[in-house]
Amino acid sequence: MTASFVSDDTSPALRANALSDDVQSVFPELERLLPLVSKPVQYVGGELNAVIKPWDDVAVHWALMYPDAYEVGVPNQGVQILYEVLNERDDVLAERTYAVWPDLEKLMREAGVPQFTVDGHRPLGAFDLFGLSFATELGYTNMLTALDLAGIPLHAVDRDERHPLVIAGGHAAFNPEPIADFIDAAVLGDGEQAVLLISNVTRDWKAEGRPGGREELLLRLARTGSVYIPAFYDVEYLADGRIRRVAPNKPGVPWRVSKHTLMDLDEWPYPKAPLVPLAESVHERMSVEIFRGCTRGCRFCQAGMITRPVRERSAETVAKMVDNGLEKTGYEEVGLLSLSSADHSEIGVIAKGLADRYEGTETGLSLPSTRVDAFNIDLANELTRNGRRSGLTFAPEGGSERMRRVINKMVTEEDLIRTVATAYGNGWRQVKLYFMCGLPTETDEDVLQIAEVARRVIETGRKVSGRKDIRCTVSIGGFIPKPHTPFQWASQLDHESTDARLRKLRDAIRNDREYGKSIGFRYHDGKPGVVEGLLSRGDRRVGAIIERVWQAGARFDGWSEHFNFDAWMLAAEGALAAGPVDVDWYTLREREYTEVLPWDHLDSGLDKDWLWEDWQDAVEEVAVEDCRWTPCFDCGVCGQMDTEIQVGPTGATLLGMPALPVRGGDLVAESSS
Amino acid sequence: MSPRQAPVRDVAPTVQRLRLRYAKRGRLRFSSHRDFQRAFERALRRAGVPMAYSQGFNPHPRVSYANSAPTGTASEAEYVEIAVTAVLDPDKVRLALDTALPPGLDVIEVVASRTSDFIERLQASVWELELPGVSVATAQEAADALIAADEVLVERLTKNGIRTFDARGPVLAVEVVDQVNSGDDSPNEGTRPADELVDCAIMRLVVRHVTPSVRPDDVLVALRHVANLVPPVPVRVTRLAQGPLVADVGGRAAVDAVSDPFAADRG
């Protein structure tokens, strides 16, 4: 019961394929639908710094998708970087596409309008390569909608030379097995060089007259050793449902596929011309990535594990990117992005240098990702010299000292209290604290300790500031074990227990007469985490669940108003009925050392034995240091990937930067100058 | 406990006010007023216009927006006033802002303000409605029926709930022509006339600005009430002009019903 809507040759999708040297915009057809949908501006493109190239001027056509709503997808750095890297090439063009909301999807199906790019409004089906960036697994159903609206068969096995290669990237691509049936390829790690490699292979294959068809192109990509082609691997299972082995089924296809690592961030200062949408987006600011990777070693953090080693961008390049980006965009706020921004070896120079440079210009600076210590407050003070001091965010993640040793978040409660005291003492009025619930070995007492921490925060804050209007917000997310982390073997807490634990915590905070009113409490129920957990650690059998739930109408699963837990569970029951496994098997089950994990053939550089030892350390509440400041403890990445940590300090200061150009001086009227 | 005081800043004083006319064209007609506001304030920064800022915790550039065209409606005549801290050359500001805004949001003219009460001068709008699939004869019949009516009540959902108001009274003139004369030259994509809709009547309305405002959508509802006019596809609407009403609107072409609101500032 495939719901493919392309039923005849007159649909725009197929028309475009038949005439691939003259791909027309579908905007006139789309335009008629736009007055009938909400926020139509999100579908028209026209962003500042967007690029539209003539179709026939290039050899390779990429469509890039962030599979969520435009307002979430358009600020995404990954897509913006690849968009620009690709469009800088003379023989390549790249356009962007986003998930359409159900109101437009319905009208597009009725009118036969295909999934389109927002740049040239070209039909997705006409492109050579369709790259999707999965920051989260909850975008999988939106991928199926896009494929179906484009007239591209959902299953890779049903596609032929007329269809784009469907390529998954982003953090979720480190275990693409649940979507193995729907994608042609997956790329692990940094995309900048990988997309150029794929472009070259595709260009050559097309120039040679597409020898060997689609399979030959995929084989050429597989043989590079750094593009994963799921179809070239067979998965065998044991009778109890575990995987027996994953093996290549074609000569020349490697047993393991490695991630890509971009070593010199100063050579790749993208995005150089960030996209500025007309529509409102979730990030109304410009972002500059100050380093990639993290070696703090928080055991729950997939991003920290899979992006090793640390590679810093120099203070000088950061300052140039900020300058250039502000000029190109007109944004008035800059976020300095990374996994733990205060850890940059030259962060002091960067913060002071930028604060000096933009003092009095109404330009705001922020460090979104911060650690718990007083140094961090100095930085925040510097960046808000003459602005508002509204809120500071810290992430202790675990409520009790014991819990923080398990997850290797080395912050003591005293550290935390001292830090917030400094914050309130410096005029900050609100502190936000992030925690997780459902961590391995966690008990009710560990979570209830969060209430105690929050009480001490308010008590200290009132004392230090001498005011009663200070606030603390406690924000809690459910823990989801992720591939390529020490917790990849762990049991996930069931949603009933998660909810029960959070209710106890909520009551403890509410019932506190003295401090309760100053403490905000934000959390989500545990059900979406079950689906995310299923998709995170799932294998190829999970694909049938995704397809079923999508057929049943699942879309935008990351949005609570669209997420339908019961539909997912029903789809899972149906799809897994004949086999030995179920949702609990994927989520609640603790794995053994010897089990073949679905992503073992995908190499993040981390040594599996090191991950296992770190998992054992976690259970025994033993913390490990950050290898940036202490000797290497052999996680495997640097040796395996022949990489090393790239940190400063370079000794640079920003004093050598040219003075800020005075823009607008030439606008003054002649008579008054 | 004392309330927090906003920092007193060293804010440069306003020395000049500039009035801008801009157009919202092509696919950017789907941008909302808020979308334009954000884009315009970013363009001011990119162009380096020395803006006067407000005081307070959250200083913002001093910009006054006149009654903006609804989302989905194109316009050749939107107006904005800005306060600046230096005496600027209006033509240079026009060029700099036009360059800094995305194509489709086009700054047409900038004048230095020499008068007050600018908003009061925007007394009426001239709207152009393209009606694909509607013949000139059908459109003329509907226009005649509307003019013949004394009052046509329509409903619209507003912030304060459903309001009922007269959509006929403020309509001073309706004109039906058979060719498009708007300045809409869609910088990004041309609009292909769809083959099955060769008929495309053009209706121009002169509508007085009242409260609640009567928009082209309301007039379309009124046309459905009085003449059962139901365009088969969404109507494309463009505001052609805003300005002071000239005397004797009835005897003129619709586009001449309002005069140039900048006339007084040109001195």
Side-chain angles (χ1 to χ4, degrees):
Chain A
M1 51 173 265
T2 331
S4 187
F5 85 104
V6 176
S7 54
D8 61 47
D9 285 339
T10 60
S11 83
L14 288 189
R15 197 173 63 212
N17 267 316
L19 305 167
S20 66
D21 52 351
D22 180 26
V23 172
Q24 288 209 11
S25 166
V26 299
F27 192 72
E29 289 85 1
L30 175 68
E31 190 179 20
R32 291 190 190 169
L33 312 180
L34 293 183
L36 311 173
V37 303
S38 75
K39 294 194 199 161
V41 69
Q42 66 185 306
Y43 304 115
V44 305
E47 301 88 353
L48 202 62
N49 301 322
V51 175
I52 302 178
K53 289 184 171 184
W55 188 262
D56 295 337
D57 285 7
V58 302
V60 178
H61 308 90
W62 278 90
L64 302 175
M65 181 176 202
Y66 189 89
D68 203 331
Y70 179 84
E71 66 189 83
V72 179
V74 79
N76 180 262
Q77 289 292 293
V79 170
Q80 289 205 21
I81 290 169
L82 299 185
Y83 177 73
E84 205 173 322
V85 165
L86 289 166
N87 276 322
E88 275 186 2
R89 285 270 303 254
D90 287 339
D91 53 353
V92 179
L93 71 72
E95 303 201 352
R96 295 159 298 124
T97 184
Y98 302 95
V100 300
W101 287 108
D103 61 345
L104 182 58
E105 181 192 340
K106 179 168 177 289
L107 294 172
M108 285 166 68
R109 289 182 186 281
E110 286 165 10
V113 175
Q115 178 81 24
F116 54 87
T117 58
V118 296
D119 304 280
H121 289 95
R122 286 158 172 154
L124 175 59
F127 288 77
D128 301 308
L129 302 163
F130 175 30
L132 294 110
S133 178
F134 288 107
T136 148
E137 297 81 2
L138 296 176
Y140 291 160
T141 54
N142 286 350
M143 165 179 67
L144 297 187
T145 308
L147 289 172
D148 189 49
L149 281 173
I152 301 169
L154 294 187
H155 291 255
V157 67
D158 297 327
R159 295 177 199 140
D160 60 34
E161 278 73 57
R162 291 175 305 161
H163 303 114
L165 291 194
V166 180
I167 306 171
H171 288 180
F174 279 79
N175 176 27
E177 293 301 275
I179 50 169
D181 289 347
F182 314 122
I183 59 173
D184 295 291
V187 173
L188 281 64
D190 300 326
E192 287 93 335
Q193 291 163 317
V195 292
L196 295 179
L197 170 78
I198 294 168
S199 299
N200 289 345
V201 172
T202 306
R203 180 198 57 205
D204 294 347
W205 170 79
K206 282 179 80 177
E208 291 163 30
R210 307 177 191 239
R214 192 177 180 87
E215 172 150 325
E216 167 75 16
L217 175 57
L218 291 170
L219 260 176
R220 288 186 186 188
L221 290 171
R223 285 177 182 150
T224 65
S226 51
V227 180
Y228 172 54
I229 311 294
F232 294 159
Y233 294 79
D234 291 330
V235 182
E236 297 162 26
Y237 299 95
L238 299 165
D240 65 4
R242 288 177 302 155
I243 294 172
R244 183 199 303 275
R245 71 168 201 162
V246 179
N249 57 25
K250 286 267 187 304
V253 174
W255 280 84
R256 298 191 82 200
V257 181
S258 305
K259 76 165 177 180
H260 294 253
T261 305
L262 188 72
M263 287 311 294
D264 189 345
L265 262 62
D266 284 343
E267 278 182 18
W268 297 78
Y270 296 90
K272 296 173 185 167
L275 292 165
V276 187
L278 221 36
E280 189 163 15
S281 75
V282 293
H283 289 299
E284 289 288 315
R285 61 167 178 253
M286 198 188 90
S287 298
V288 173
E289 192 181 12
I290 63 173
F291 67 86
R292 230 171 255 186
C294 182
T295 43
R296 290 253 146 201
C298 303
R299 292 176 173 127
F300 55 84
C301 179
Q302 187 192 39
M305 292 289 164
I306 63 178
T307 60
R308 295 175 172 212
V310 168
R311 290 143 292 151
E312 289 188 353
R313 198 164 253 152
S314 69
E316 205 179 333
T317 306
V318 168
K320 281 183 188 157
M321 287 179 71
V322 170
D323 242 20
N324 168 69
L326 286 173
E327 189 187 329
K328 295 265 172 61
T329 62
Y331 276 130
E332 64 177 352
E333 195 187 335
V334 184
L336 302 177
L337 292 193
S338 72
L339 292 170
S340 177
S341 295
D343 283 343
H344 191 292
S345 63
E346 295 180 306
I347 190 65
V349 174
I350 293 174
K352 175 164 190 318
L354 293 178
D356 286 348
R357 199 166 170 73
Y358 296 103
E359 188 153 10
T361 62
E362 311 295 342
T363 302
L365 300 160
S366 63
L367 278 184
S369 226
T370 51
R371 64 175 196 230
V372 183
D373 66 32
F375 171 60
N376 190 48
I377 309 237
D378 295 343
L379 291 174
N381 289 344
E382 192 73 278
L383 295 178
T384 55
R385 245 181 237 174
N386 47 8
R388 279 186 308 167
R389 291 193 176 160
S390 46
L392 272 184
T393 301
F394 301 102
E397 308 286 4
S400 66
E401 303 262 4
R402 191 192 74 77
M403 206 67 256
R404 289 194 291 273
R405 282 196 302 275
V406 169
I407 63 178
N408 202 39
K409 189 93 193 187
M410 294 191 296
V411 177
T412 64
E413 195 163 310
E414 291 317 309
D415 285 342
L416 178 65
I417 298 301
R418 214 173 17 246
T419 305
V420 297
T422 315
Y424 289 122
N426 277 282
W428 297 85
R429 290 283 165 264
Q430 164 135 339
V431 166
K432 201 183 204 182
L433 301 174
Y434 279 133
F435 293 95
M436 276 188 288
C437 176
L439 289 160
T441 77
E442 181 186 277
T443 63
D444 285 359
E445 284 64 41
D446 291 309
V447 170
L448 286 171
Q449 185 63 25
I450 295 172
E452 190 52 43
V453 170
R455 273 194 291 267
R456 284 194 62 194
V457 163
I458 293 296
E459 184 188 15
T460 311
R462 287 183 186 170
K463 208 181 296 168
V464 174
S465 67
R467 316 172 61 101
K468 280 207 158 171
D469 65 347
I470 54 152
R471 286 190 59 77
C472 171
T473 301
V474 170
S475 198
I476 306 201
F479 165 68
I480 296 157
K482 293 279 181 171
H484 305 280
T485 68
F487 289 164
Q488 64 182 354
W489 290 279
S491 162
Q492 183 175 348
L493 188 63
D494 64 274
H495 67 90
E496 292 91 347
S497 306
T498 302
D499 293 346
R501 224 166 251 177
L502 290 174
R503 265 196 305 276
K504 285 181 191 162
L505 174 60
R506 184 196 59 196
D507 293 345
I509 292 174
R510 273 198 191 155
N511 296 338
D512 188 304
R513 290 210 176 166
E514 196 170 356
Y515 301 118
K517 285 217 164 74
S518 300
I519 302 171
F521 186 50
R522 297 167 57 105
Y523 68 99
H524 297 289
D525 74 272
K527 285 177 175 175
V530 173
V531 172
E532 202 185 329
L534 169 71
L535 299 175
S536 290
R537 293 194 293 172
D539 52 38
R540 294 191 178 184
R541 292 168 291 190
V542 170
I545 305 175
I546 300 170
E547 189 169 347
R548 252 178 206 251
V549 77
W550 174 79
Q551 300 278 12
R555 307 284 189 275
F556 291 93
D557 292 298
W559 297 68
S560 54
E561 62 268 48
H562 289 272
F563 176 74
N564 184 339
F565 181 73
D566 294 341
W568 274 95
M569 292 306 108
L570 195 65
E573 254 170 57
L576 301 176
V581 301
D582 59 14
V583 172
D584 287 354
W585 187 86
Y586 283 106
T587 54
L588 307 188
R589 186 175 60 96
E590 183 173 331
R591 279 71 160 167
E592 294 291 329
Y593 173 72
T594 50
E595 179 166 345
V596 177
L597 302 174
W599 52 89
D600 276 350
H601 57 300
L602 300 172
D603 189 358
S604 60
L606 296 158
D607 182 58
K608 196 177 176 186
D609 285 336
W610 176 78
L611 287 174
W612 178 261
E613 282 164 27
D614 206 39
W615 168 225
Q616 300 310 304
D617 282 349
V619 178
E620 288 156 26
E621 302 167 21
V622 176
V624 299
E625 297 283 337
D626 184 334
C627 70
R628 219 176 328 189
W629 327 109
T630 63
C632 170
F633 45 85
D634 286 328
C635 74
V637 170
C638 290
Q640 181 94 7
M641 300 279 166
D642 197 20
T643 55
E644 55 186 42
I645 292 175
Q646 306 286 313
V647 295
T650 60
T653 65
L654 302 186
L655 293 175
M657 289 281 292
L660 264 192
V662 180
R663 290 199 291 276
D666 49 348
L667 300 177
V668 172
E670 298 291 341
S671 55
S672 75
S673 60
Chain B
M1 206 181 315
S2 61
R4 290 177 67 205
Q5 296 290 316
V8 176
R9 290 150 172 273
D10 188 16
V11 176
T14 300
V15 304
Q16 188 186 36
R17 286 175 202 281
L18 295 171
R19 289 175 183 156
L20 289 73
R21 176 185 172 199
Y22 72 93
K24 188 168 81 162
R25 292 171 172 154
R27 53 182 173 169
L28 291 204
R29 77 176 196 272
F30 293 107
S31 58
S32 69
H33 178 56
R34 275 168 48 85
D35 297 333
F36 175 77
Q37 278 181 302
R38 282 192 309 272
F40 185 65
E41 290 180 16
R42 286 194 287 259
L44 288 169
R45 285 192 293 273
R46 288 186 70 217
V49 177
M51 292 298 296
Y53 274 79
S54 63
Q55 288 278 1
F57 284 113
N58 244 333
H60 53 270
R62 292 192 181 277
V63 183
S64 312
Y65 299 89
N67 40 325
S68 53
T71 306
T73 303
S75 177
E76 290 296 308
E78 299 297 289
Y79 292 92
V80 168
E81 185 176 286
I82 61 176
V84 295
T85 59
V87 176
L88 306 182
D89 179 332
D91 288 338
K92 289 179 184 166
V93 172
R94 190 206 70 75
L95 187 65
L97 280 176
D98 191 45
T99 310
L101 280 165
L105 295 177
D106 303 326
V107 182
I108 296 170
E109 189 178 6
V110 177
V111 298
S113 153
R114 300 176 182 212
T115 57
S116 55
D117 302 332
F118 179 72
I119 299 283
E120 283 70 34
R121 249 178 280 158
L122 303 179
Q123 292 173 335
S125 287
V126 182
W127 300 96
E128 180 166 276
L129 283 54
E130 292 168 54
L131 304 160
V134 176
S135 70
V136 170
T138 308
Q140 188 63 58
E141 230 169 82
D144 293 345
L146 180 67
I147 292 298
D150 291 332
E151 183 187 71
V152 184
L153 293 180
V154 300
E155 289 180 340
R156 188 170 72 214
L157 190 62
T158 71
K159 270 175 280 185
N160 307 317
I162 291 181
R163 286 192 69 163
T164 303
F165 54 93
D166 175 27
R168 162 66 188 91
V171 177
L172 304 177
V174 185
E175 178 183 282
V176 176
V177 291
D178 58 4
Q179 57 169 0
V180 184
N181 192 28
S182 80
D184 184 349
D185 56 3
S186 305
N188 302 309
E189 276 140 325
T191 303
R192 280 188 256 138
D195 299 354
E196 72 272 28
L197 299 169
V198 274
D199 273 334
C200 184
I202 305 299
M203 191 178 275
R204 296 205 189 108
L205 311 169
V206 180
V207 183
R208 185 194 291 277
H209 294 167
V210 293
T211 308
S213 61
V214 171
R215 302 176 186 166
D217 272 2
D218 303 317
V219 178
L220 281 166
V221 172
L223 288 166
R224 193 174 72 223
H225 285 338
V226 297
N228 202 26
L229 180 75
V230 182
V233 296
V235 174
R236 285 167 57 106
V237 180
T238 305
R239 170 140 68 188
L240 297 181
Q242 293 189 73
L245 273 169
V246 302
D248 186 24
V249 167
R252 299 165 179 269
V255 286
D256 297 327
V258 296
S259 64
D260 178 9
F262 283 164
D265 293 302
R266 291 206 179 83

